[in-house]
Amino acid sequence: MNEMNAPAASKKQPNTNLGLYGGAWLRLRENRWARWAVWVLAILLLLLFAVGPLLSPYAPDHADWDHILVRPGLMASHYLGTDVIGRDLFARIMQGGRISLMVGFAGALVSLLIGVCYGAIAGFVGGRLDMFMMRLVDLLYALPFMFFVILLMVFFGRSFLLIFVAIGAINWLDMARIVRGQAMSLRNLAFIEAARVYGQSTIGILVRHVVPNLLGVVLVYATMTIPQVMMIEAFLSFLGLGVQEPLTSWGTLIKEGADLMEVAPYLLIFPGGCFALTVLCFNMLGDGLRDALDPKER
Amino acid sequence: MLSLILRRLLQAIPTLFLLITISFAMVRAAPGGPFSTERALPPEVERALQARYHLDEPLPQQYLRYLGSVVRGDLGPSFRYEEYSVNDLIAQGIPVTARLGLFAMALALLVGIGLGIAAAWWHHSTVDRLFMLAAVTGISVPSFVLAPLFILLFAVLWHWLPAGGYAPGTIAPMVLPVLALALPQMAYIARLTRGAMLEVLRSPFIRTARAKGLGMRLILLRHALRPALIPVLSYAGPALAGLLSGSVVVEQIFGLPGIGRFFIQGALNRDYTLVMGVTILAGVVIILMNLLVDLAYMALDPRLGARG
Amino acid sequence: MALLSIEGLRVTYPGMQGSLLHVVNGVDLELYAGEVCAVVGESGSGKSQTAMAAMGLLDEQAQVSGVIRFQGNDLVASKAWHGVRGSRIAMVFQDPMSALNPYLTIERQMTEVLMVHKGCSRLDARDRAIKELNHMRIPDAARSIMRYPHEFSGGMRQRVLLAMALLCEPDLLIADEATAALDVTVQAQILQLLKEVRDSHHMSIWIITHDLGVVAALGDRVAVMYAGRIVETGPVQEVFDQPAHPYTQALLEAMPRDDQPLRPIRGQPPSPAAIPPGCPFHPRCPRCFDPCDKEMPRGMSLSGEHKAACHLLSHPQELAS
């Protein structure tokens, strides 16, 4: 390397004063798309979990047979219309959203836990164990997991818990690889060596140096996993294998909308739009976080 | 070259073994047999059925029998469609699914890579930003939202294209399914290509190429594209897996008589052998794809080709 | 008339939160036909950035001002690098291991230069390339040319890069740390090659290095850069014998020699985000005095071409003390 890179290196200099995450935070705030995504997600969460239920008097599973397939309208009491048995779409989207997001967070958490533990063990222990563990990951990678999950859902009932487990079981592979790579490179880094020389205990090193360094990657990855999990849940629900009545999720609503779209396209467009927007925001936030923590010019 | 193929095929054996074992275990661990869903059969009929499908044997023996027949390429008889074997059913579905998948893969790769190059070419411009906004939107809208939306717009509203009515040899009914299947992958590949291109464009050999006074076109297409394709290639395996599972819903929505539909029907009907057969087939296709990817790496990177 | 003259060149990059990074801060430099000019300085002194500016290869974010006149045309104003870069001015970079495209044969990478600049056919270009490889003493050039870069050693790759740079018989060759990444023996071979090139091709060579040994071996003239400025320039022998600027003196003293202990320069070069006021070297200068931290010293002629920018030169009483 010659000084071709010198300006880039010195560009980072102001950030070192702010610490690893201070600079990242500044860069994230400068990212317009990520800022938008955070706002939209915040409003969405507020709407779904706090304000939404106050806005609509209808229960999501209340069938109002006198008002079936009401068209959406802000003036009407059913803002987003009703479905084929007169259930309020707004209330259903609220409930579906809560479930979709909860599945998203829980699934991401499951895959995060498995992946981080697996990857960290393989990376830090190294040697034969690492080789064996990673070979297993490679092996599992080549399997058609979606098919297994569909089988799982079909044969073992469509329970809520199973969805998390099934999805978590798919998604941890990437996480494990990434964490293992990070752990390997951290293990050999100079500052760990230095900390050891200065007599810090292993746990001290882990807490003070390794965890903060891993945190960024894990955060980025978790943010990107949430939309993936929501996608899988919606996929299963769309096939009728996911969340079951009387509960609903965005995937289920999309399925119901798709069946009726020639009569009532809004039944497809509103849940589909909400779902896509949410996934989009998570993806943008994930991109923003990644760029902020890994400031290569993109 | 040949030794690599052989080595890869050998390496695929444990994967294949795992694949068969997991699907067998999962299907057999499921509560309720294939004949338990309907009204109770007379015991002697059920026993006869079980004997016919060797379900009365102990599990290890069933497993070995199944393993043996799969190795011989026979996926067994279907539990539901009595007159068909799983091989027959799959053979029926393959032309549809293969066409759907291949077209979608080709479209996703060609257009995705093209868009990625264009975005890298006009890096930091409005074009770049627009493409990338479109791409991040594209990966956020899954096939099962796109497909009904396409039907609504292009078939119901504008009558441009049919939403179903597949018959062998027809093209129009395939357009919307292929698009719905390909777009999310295309968006992902475009992002991947752009990112890889920009990464490569920072490398020293690109600086040399610029110092040689080469134009943008030569630098991007001759010098940067090949190394940038490596990560795209690595994604080909996962992309195919995504397309396969995506085709399950897309076939369902468009009423295409492909393997994905057999799979869903088989799962709902508890057609053990059919479901296992499709899962194994999907696994084999992914394994073959990964082999293809390895060969393509060698074609792309002379440093690998030298070792053979 | 100078082949290349740089006047008041400044290069800045946008930093975080609207700050500016001053990488090159008013460089004046002239290169004459047939001479070897060496620019020395620590890493981060802006010597490579100056060369990259002359090649028009800076990042798009870089803001460049000043004049870079090559054979009469101002390249900064006209941005007319087409037909100059790669053909009239060629450049060789530091790390030969990564400077060649690993995915293309040597032939492809060499012939494309001639095909682009001279409109040669592929066959003619190939013959020409083989000849140049022979000049650079690549064994079995006709066969080697079909190989990929990974099949060559570092020294061989640097020869290939040199041959590639010389294909269009440029008027100026810029060698940016061209020997820094190589083993000492290989380094000597490449230096020898550069000497031969200088004699046989009658071109100017602009060497960028931090190694004063390279300067001594090859340079006709030397320019010492610090914090984006040239602090001293003159014929190599004169500057080495009678360095006028304290930075040059410190550099020479920091050179490893058999008979003396190594004397490193204390402190760090300044960050381009915060260049000290006055003479940028004053925080590290052992002879810093009153005006140094306030006023920028101007270049003073010592004898003929030997110039330096230091307050000591205009304050003889300090110089004596």
Side-chain angles (χ1 to χ4, degrees), chain C residues 263-281:
Chain C
R263 289 173 58 187
I265 310 176
R266 67 189 169 114
Q268 292 287 318
S271 146
I275 291 184
C279 172
F281 187 59

Side-chain angles (χ1 to χ4, degrees), chain B residues 208 210 212 222-223 226 302, chain C residues 57 85 99 109 112 117:
Chain B
T208 310
R210 296 213 299 148
K212 289 197 291 192
R222 185 180 293 168
H223 284 266
R226 271 225 260 176
Chain C
L57 286 180
R85 183 200 296 155
Q109 299 187 53
E112 67 181 358
H117 292 298

